[in-house]
Amino acid sequence: MATISSSLLLKTPTKIQFLPKTHFTTPLNLPLPTRFTSKKNGSSSGSIGSGTRIRSGLLIEPDGGKLVTLLVEESQRELKKEEGFKLPQIKLTKIDIEWVHVLSEGWASPLKGFMRESEFLQTLHFNSIRIENGSVVNMSVPIVLAIDDEKKNQIGGSTSVALVDDENNPIAILSDIEIYKHNKEERIARTWGTTAPGLPYADKAITHAGNWLIGGDLKVIEPIKYHDGLDRFRLSPAELRDEFTRRNADAVFAFQLRNPVHNGHALLMTDTRQRLLEMGYKNPVLLLHPLGGYTKADDVPLHWRMKQHEKVLEDGVLDPETTVVSIFPSPMHYAGPTEVQWHAKARINAGANFYIVGRDPAGMGHPLEKRDLYDADHGKKVLSMAPGLERLNILPFRVAAYDKTKNGMAFFDPSRPQDFIFISGTKMRTLAKNKESPPDGFMCPGGWKVLVEYYDSLAQAENGRVSEPVSV
Amino acid sequence: MATISSSLLLKTPTKIQFLPKTHFTTPLNLPLPTRFTSKKNGSSSGSIGSGTRIRSGLLIEPDGGKLVTLLVEESQRELKKEEGFKLPQIKLTKIDIEWVHVLSEGWASPLKGFMRESEFLQTLHFNSIRIENGSVVNMSVPIVLAIDDEKKNQIGGSTSVALVDDENNPIAILSDIEIYKHNKEERIARTWGTTAPGLPYADKAITHAGNWLIGGDLKVIEPIKYHDGLDRFRLSPAELRDEFTRRNADAVFAFQLRNPVHNGHALLMTDTRQRLLEMGYKNPVLLLHPLGGYTKADDVPLHWRMKQHEKVLEDGVLDPETTVVSIFPSPMHYAGPTEVQWHAKARINAGANFYIVGRDPAGMGHPLEKRDLYDADHGKKVLSMAPGLERLNILPFRVAAYDKTKNGMAFFDPSRPQDFIFISGTKMRTLAKNKESPPDGFMCPGGWKVLVEYYDSLAQAENGRVSEPVSV
């Protein structure tokens, strides 16, 4: 493996980050893309190459027709880094870095950097952006970088800035910059449909951020890594496309999640594949795509979720042959109908042409009132009407619940409601915290055990005991 | 004139409302459409008719390809009224009636009634609506009708309702209805970009409105009239199109206003016509289009504004030959960049293919903070990028100010800023209230006198004296 790694390093420098490292603290037994197990690597050419090209053509086109990648050529990295040391510097927050990651790999294609004002305004007002050829791409969530008055003054007349990490190491260069006003209230109101204090992302990344936004063309010096043992699951849209092509997928259905997987989810995913087969697709592949960026404090952290997903897959609930597990690097907004568009749009760029949308996607409780912030059906409705997403097939979630007559999760049958139990996220958390078991068949025992362990680790931390650090 | 009126009544029943009545309390000397002075009426056919058709083709197409009119055929009016007495009834507010007016004449084409949920959601999220043929029309402001819980229960399973006036007379029928939740906070946040208390329209028409919205297909029994002496200036989009066609307009440029006209406005309008002539148009016609619906308490009421516009036109500042003065029946939202799209879109339906946009259109001060609610440039920027408005030519307002060297309004020359005085709306109001005069050449003396009279009438009312009722 080390030999292959080295040869890959020379041939396809931007890809080495995804090769498994032996020193991972928690090796997970999740189905890796075939590229990590097959002898054929991305650079193989000849007859395979041309075959690949043809199969590639079956995947949905990225927004704007071409997948954006904003990584500096390896030969230019040192040069760019040096340039970065000479430019005015902007220190990135953790969330900023997640957005740099998102942008660098083209999840937001055709965006080529942090938004300038015209892109920001179109996002806020139209949830879509008109591109040069006159067509419209979806873009519902502002991908912007805030700076304060002092930083703005410091930048002065410079046309480029360096984006640096905590230790002032240049991560990226932003050039041909544009600085414009950051009207936070308006941004929050138009993105969330409320300005109530207590929106997690707003509290974390907007309210205390600077009064200016800086947009421009981004060039990222090195692939973004987190060194948390999960980097190998962070496949870029290009890598996912390669993977789907290698698997001869003729349909890719994406399932976005930020919660543990229970058997209702599994049922839905299996059922979706079945429906796609019935529609005539020969090889529908599932992209099981947990969100890996910022999440609010009471969500289960990524690391624990990945452990839980591993158990679920081990249990055979999902077929590894037709499932790709990967991490979506975006931070979470909890902006309901606005955000679900982003979640769907990004998956088009990764090659998905089907998107499963659930009840109240990207939703949460209202920060001040005793109700959900969004109507549970609005996400699905808005998604199905969203500009720029016409090419994507929206698959509404069928409601699954615990069927007492079957001792397992099943699609809810409204003719016999008395047979079903709905197990809410809150209920699930309460059970896991109290180390109680859910009804048999709700979740595979291995997966449940992970959740119990997670809540146990939280309780121990609260009791002042040293606990395993939790990755976010 | 009475004879012509009667004959029109038979031939083109929906048009009689615009004929001047002799008992108007305040006959205004504003240039009326030629139809009111010419012998040829809208029904004239033959060679003129075919000529008209060709010229009609020169005007911009209405949104959706066809101008919507929702008036009941005259022969069906009594029947519809009777139907209305039998249906569940919804009592309309003054603003509701203004929207019924707007919808009935097709300003919001292709909307056929108060919005159903899919239209409402698209308006809030995308400022545009996808129509049956797959194309997109602009729609930025929700045109919705609110009802409370009690009314919803009362409607029960009925598929139609009657919309009635203060005295329970049916004004319109709404059929094939859909009732859905009125999330007021979300509606306000997404429309205004703030939820701060003190937004005039929200305070007036949303915050205390019912928790449900009711959409459906609208049929309006009789043309909406206000009997305030100004109805003859309320030309429908169809009538405006006829007027532009009769005038052989090959370009129509619309100027939306809700304030008194000063010489800076006049300069801009004259200059715009000049520019259009230079572009090769032979007969550009100005649609001077004051907004006639709800305005906030400190705006100058419509009636006084129309008096002021009359004086400005009498003064010869604008050429009546190439100017059509008409009233736009929409209520005002003060929603800045969101609302300016509505203002522009509605004028497309009236035949305008050029739209003049000023600084901070439809803007106001932030209700709580000491700043403008919107960035002064956002309206223009958002308008120029808005989906569904691609066909409209946006003409940004050139800044006019008082040029001391010319003793008149002139386009601001940044090379000699010291020569210019900016006279804000607040400054203008203060001067008029104090019966002081603005600098010579700021506004024609007759127009200024109207303003002084208006503020005088306000002061008298405040002092407890009986004053002339002010129409809103």
Side-chain angles (χ1 to χ4, degrees):
Chain A
M1 205 54 150
T3 324
I4 294 176
S5 167
S6 306
S7 74
L8 274 176
L9 183 64
L10 293 170
K11 288 181 181 168
T12 55
T14 63
K15 287 176 179 163
I16 61 147
Q17 70 270 27
F18 297 100
L19 288 172
K21 292 180 187 170
T22 50
H23 64 270
F24 281 160
T25 46
T26 51
L28 293 180
N29 183 24
L30 283 166
L32 275 173
T34 48
R35 51 174 311 193
F36 298 125
T37 49
S38 147
K39 296 254 147 84
K40 292 170 199 148
N41 66 53
S43 316
S44 65
S45 57
S47 63
I48 297 283
S50 70
T52 304
R53 202 159 300 139
I54 291 163
R55 286 198 301 275
S56 246
L58 290 179
L59 294 178
I60 190 170
E61 252 199 3
D63 272 349
K66 191 171 173 298
L67 196 63
V68 167
T69 53
L70 304 174
L71 283 174
V72 171
E73 297 268 322
E74 209 188 358
S75 61
Q76 303 293 310
R77 284 187 192 169
E78 280 311 310
L79 218 70
K80 276 281 166 192
K81 208 171 231 171
E82 277 171 41
E83 186 187 332
F85 280 114
K86 290 174 204 153
L87 289 171
Q89 298 198 333
I90 296 172
K91 196 163 277 187
L92 301 181
T93 66
K94 213 164 164 183
I95 288 180
D96 292 337
I97 294 176
E98 289 167 1
W99 284 124
V100 168
H101 185 179
V102 163
L103 289 167
S104 71
E105 296 180 342
W107 296 97
S109 291
L111 270 196
K112 292 195 174 65
F114 284 104
M115 291 179 176
R116 296 193 178 90
E117 193 181 40
S118 72
E119 293 156 337
F120 177 63
L121 289 175
Q122 290 180 79
T123 300
L124 287 189
H125 287 273
F126 316 134
N127 286 5
S128 59
I129 292 176
R130 185 173 302 278
I131 60 175
E132 274 167 24
N133 69 10
S135 71
V136 162
V137 296
N138 190 269
M139 196 67 243
S140 61
V141 158
I143 302 183
V144 288
L145 183 60
I147 55 171
D148 60 20
D149 299 26
E150 190 189 336
K151 185 55 71 185
K152 178 173 180 280
N153 288 337
Q154 203 183 309
I155 293 168
S158 179
T159 58
S160 295
V161 294
L163 311 184
V164 304
D165 68 12
D166 259 354
E167 286 143 20
N168 297 323
N169 293 310
I171 290 178
I173 308 284
L174 200 62
S175 58
D176 199 5
I177 59 169
E178 180 186 308
I179 298 177
Y180 55 101
K181 273 182 230 153
H182 187 194
N183 185 330
K184 301 172 192 178
E185 182 189 53
E186 185 172 356
R187 174 180 172 194
I188 293 170
R190 296 199 193 275
T191 306
W192 280 271
T194 177
T195 57
L199 297 168
Y201 187 93
D203 285 356
K204 183 87 181 173
I206 303 180
T207 313
H208 305 291
N211 291 322
W212 304 94
L213 297 174
I214 179 167
D217 294 331
L218 187 74
K219 280 288 176 192
V220 181
I221 297 169
E222 276 183 60
I224 304 294
K225 301 278 110 210
Y226 300 82
H227 308 294
D228 57 356
L230 299 175
D231 281 333
R232 62 185 165 149
F233 293 107
R234 294 190 174 93
L235 273 70
S236 71
E239 288 166 323
L240 285 169
R241 285 177 168 267
D242 281 354
E243 180 64 26
F244 299 137
T245 302
R246 259 184 225 102
R247 293 200 189 198
N248 281 311
D250 58 354
V252 176
F253 58 112
F255 190 68
Q256 140 79 27
L257 73 171
R258 61 167 221 269
N259 283 313
V261 172
H262 58 61
N263 289 349
H265 296 129
L267 171 68
L268 180 84
M269 291 184 263
T270 311
D271 176 72
T272 301
R273 182 171 150 86
Q274 196 51 46
R275 283 200 282 161
L276 291 173
L277 288 170
E278 281 161 17
M279 282 165 73
Y281 290 100
K282 300 298 174 211
N283 190 23
V285 169
L286 164 64
L287 171 58
L288 184 63
H289 216 191
L291 179 136
Y294 164 79
T295 51
K296 61 189 164 69
D298 61 349
D299 278 358
V300 179
L302 176 65
H303 191 263
W304 287 95
R305 280 185 279 133
M306 291 300 282
K307 268 173 129 172
Q308 195 268 352
H309 299 344
E310 171 193 34
K311 294 298 172 193
V312 170
L313 277 138
E314 267 181 14
D315 224 57
V317 186
L318 290 169
D319 181 1
E321 283 296 307
T322 57
T323 304
V324 173
V325 184
S326 182
I327 293 170
F328 176 47
S330 172
M332 189 77 200
H333 266 62
Y334 305 93
T338 301
E339 185 169 26
V340 72
Q341 297 172 66
W342 160 241
H343 286 172
K345 176 243 164 70
R347 272 55 177 242
I348 291 180
N349 284 333
N353 56 337
F354 287 87
Y355 186 83
I356 301 176
V357 58
R359 200 188 156 277
D360 198 17
M364 53 171 271
H366 191 286
L368 299 179
E369 299 168 26
K370 279 218 162 194
R371 60 172 177 94
D372 284 339
L373 184 48
Y374 304 106
D375 184 298
D377 289 332
H378 279 186
K380 178 175 68 189
K381 289 178 183 170
V382 167
L383 190 59
S384 71
M385 300 186 290
L389 297 183
E390 297 82 5
R391 301 178 299 143
L392 187 67
N393 299 290
I394 311 296
L395 299 167
F397 213 100
R398 289 172 64 190
V399 178
Y402 189 79
D403 184 344
K404 291 184 283 183
T405 67
K406 291 181 180 168
N407 288 336
M409 297 300 282
F411 290 118
F412 179 69
D413 178 353
S415 72
R416 47 184 187 90
Q418 70 284 358
D419 293 344
F420 289 88
I421 306 174
F422 285 89
I423 300 169
S424 68
T426 311
K427 174 80 180 162
M428 192 170 84
R429 273 194 291 275
T430 311
L431 289 171
K433 277 180 187 170
N434 298 337
K435 299 186 193 176
E436 289 175 58
S437 289
D440 266 5
F442 170 74
M443 189 185 283
C444 68
W448 186 256
K449 203 164 152 266
V450 173
L451 284 192
V452 172
E453 275 171 32
Y454 164 61
Y455 284 106
D456 201 31
S457 77
L458 277 190
Q460 286 180 26
E462 276 168 21
N463 293 337
R465 291 205 247 157
V466 178
S467 85
E468 193 178 334
V470 168
S471 61
V472 182
Chain B
M1 205 56 150
T3 325
I4 294 177
S5 167
S6 306
S7 76
L8 274 176
L9 183 66
L10 293 171
K11 288 179 180 170
T12 55
T14 64
K15 287 174 179 165
I16 60 146
Q17 70 272 24
F18 297 100
L19 287 172
K21 292 182 187 169
T22 49
H23 63 269
F24 281 160
T25 46
T26 51
L28 293 180
N29 183 23
L30 284 166
L32 275 175
T34 48
R35 52 173 311 193
F36 298 125
T37 49
S38 148
K39 294 256 146 85
K40 292 169 200 152
N41 66 52
S43 317
S44 65
S45 57
S47 63
I48 297 282
S50 71
T52 305
R53 203 161 295 135
I54 291 164
R55 288 198 299 274
S56 246
L58 289 180
L59 294 179
I60 190 170
E61 252 200 5
D63 272 349
K66 193 172 172 297
L67 195 63
V68 167
T69 51
L70 304 175
L71 282 174
V72 171
E73 298 267 322
E74 208 189 359
S75 60
Q76 302 292 309
R77 284 187 190 169
E78 279 311 310
L79 218 70
K80 276 283 168 192
K81 209 170 229 174
E82 276 170 41
E83 188 187 330
F85 280 114
K86 291 173 202 153
L87 290 170
Q89 298 197 334
I90 296 173
K91 195 164 280 188
L92 300 181
T93 66
K94 214 164 162 180
I95 289 180
D96 292 337
I97 293 176
E98 289 167 0
W99 284 123
V100 167
H101 185 180
V102 162
L103 289 166
S104 71
E105 296 180 340
W107 296 97
S109 290
L111 270 197
K112 294 195 172 66
F114 285 104
M115 291 179 176
R116 297 192 177 89
E117 193 181 39
S118 73
E119 293 156 337
F120 177 63
L121 289 175
Q122 290 180 81
T123 300
L124 287 189
H125 288 274
F126 316 133
N127 287 5
S128 59
I129 292 176
R130 185 172 301 278
I131 60 175
E132 273 166 26
N133 68 11
S135 71
V136 162
V137 296
N138 189 269
M139 195 67 243
S140 61
V141 158
I143 302 183
V144 290
L145 183 61
I147 55 171
D148 60 20
D149 300 27
E150 191 188 337
K151 184 56 70 184
K152 179 173 180 281
N153 288 336
Q154 203 183 310
I155 293 167
S158 179
T159 57
S160 296
V161 294
L163 311 184
V164 303
D165 68 12
D166 259 356
E167 285 144 22
N168 298 322
N169 293 311
I171 290 178
I173 308 286
L174 199 64
S175 58
D176 199 3
I177 59 170
E178 180 186 306
I179 297 176
Y180 55 100
K181 272 182 232 156
H182 186 195
N183 186 330
K184 300 173 194 176
E185 181 188 53
E186 186 172 355
R187 175 181 170 192
I188 294 170
R190 296 198 192 278
T191 306
W192 279 271
T194 177
T195 57
L199 298 168
Y201 187 93
D203 285 357
K204 184 86 180 174
I206 303 180
T207 313
H208 305 290
N211 291 320
W212 303 93
L213 297 174
I214 180 167
D217 294 331
L218 186 73
K219 280 287 176 191
V220 181
I221 297 170
E222 276 184 61
I224 303 295
K225 301 277 110 212
Y226 300 81
H227 308 294
D228 56 356
L230 299 174
D231 281 334
R232 62 184 166 152
F233 293 106
R234 294 190 174 93
L235 272 70
S236 71
E239 287 166 325
L240 285 169
R241 285 174 169 268
D242 281 355
E243 181 63 25
F244 299 136
T245 302
R246 258 185 225 101
R247 293 201 189 199
N248 280 312
D250 59 354
V252 176
F253 58 112
F255 190 69
Q256 139 80 28
L257 74 171
R258 60 167 222 269
N259 282 315
V261 172
H262 59 60
N263 289 349
H265 297 129
L267 171 69
L268 181 83
M269 291 184 264
T270 310
D271 177 72
T272 302
R273 183 171 149 86
Q274 197 50 46
R275 283 200 283 160
L276 292 173
L277 288 169
E278 282 159 18
M279 283 165 71
Y281 289 99
K282 299 296 174 215
N283 190 25
V285 170
L286 164 64
L287 171 59
L288 184 64
H289 216 189
L291 179 137
Y294 163 80
T295 50
K296 61 189 166 68
D298 61 349
D299 278 359
V300 180
L302 176 65
H303 191 263
W304 288 96
R305 279 186 279 133
M306 290 300 282
K307 268 173 130 171
Q308 195 269 352
H309 300 343
E310 174 194 34
K311 296 296 173 196
V312 170
L313 276 138
E314 267 182 12
D315 224 55
V317 185
L318 290 169
D319 181 0
E321 283 296 307
T322 56
T323 304
V324 174
V325 184
S326 180
I327 294 170
F328 177 47
S330 172
M332 189 75 201
H333 266 61
Y334 305 93
T338 301
E339 186 169 26
V340 72
Q341 297 170 67
W342 160 241
H343 287 175
K345 176 240 163 71
R347 271 55 176 242
I348 291 180
N349 285 333
N353 56 337
F354 287 87
Y355 186 84
I356 301 176
V357 60
R359 199 187 156 277
D360 198 15
M364 54 172 269
H366 191 287
L368 299 179
E369 299 168 26
K370 278 218 162 196
R371 61 171 176 94
D372 285 339
L373 183 48
Y374 304 106
D375 184 298
D377 289 332
H378 279 187
K380 178 175 66 187
K381 289 177 182 170
V382 167
L383 191 58
S384 70
M385 301 186 291
L389 297 183
E390 298 81 5
R391 299 178 299 141
L392 187 67
N393 299 290
I394 310 297
L395 298 168
F397 214 100
R398 289 171 65 190
V399 178
Y402 188 79
D403 184 342
K404 290 184 283 183
T405 67
K406 291 183 180 168
N407 287 337
M409 298 299 283
F411 290 119
F412 179 70
D413 178 352
S415 73
R416 45 182 190 92
Q418 70 284 358
D419 293 343
F420 289 88
I421 306 174
F422 285 89
I423 300 169
S424 68
T426 310
K427 174 81 180 160
M428 193 171 83
R429 272 193 292 277
T430 310
L431 288 171
K433 278 180 189 173
N434 298 338
K435 299 185 195 179
E436 291 175 58
S437 288
D440 265 4
F442 171 73
M443 188 185 284
C444 68
W448 185 256
K449 202 165 153 261
V450 174
L451 284 192
V452 172
E453 274 171 32
Y454 164 61
Y455 284 107
D456 200 32
S457 78
L458 277 190
Q460 286 181 26
E462 275 168 21
N463 293 338
R465 289 206 248 158
V466 178
S467 84
E468 194 177 336
V470 168
S471 62
V472 182

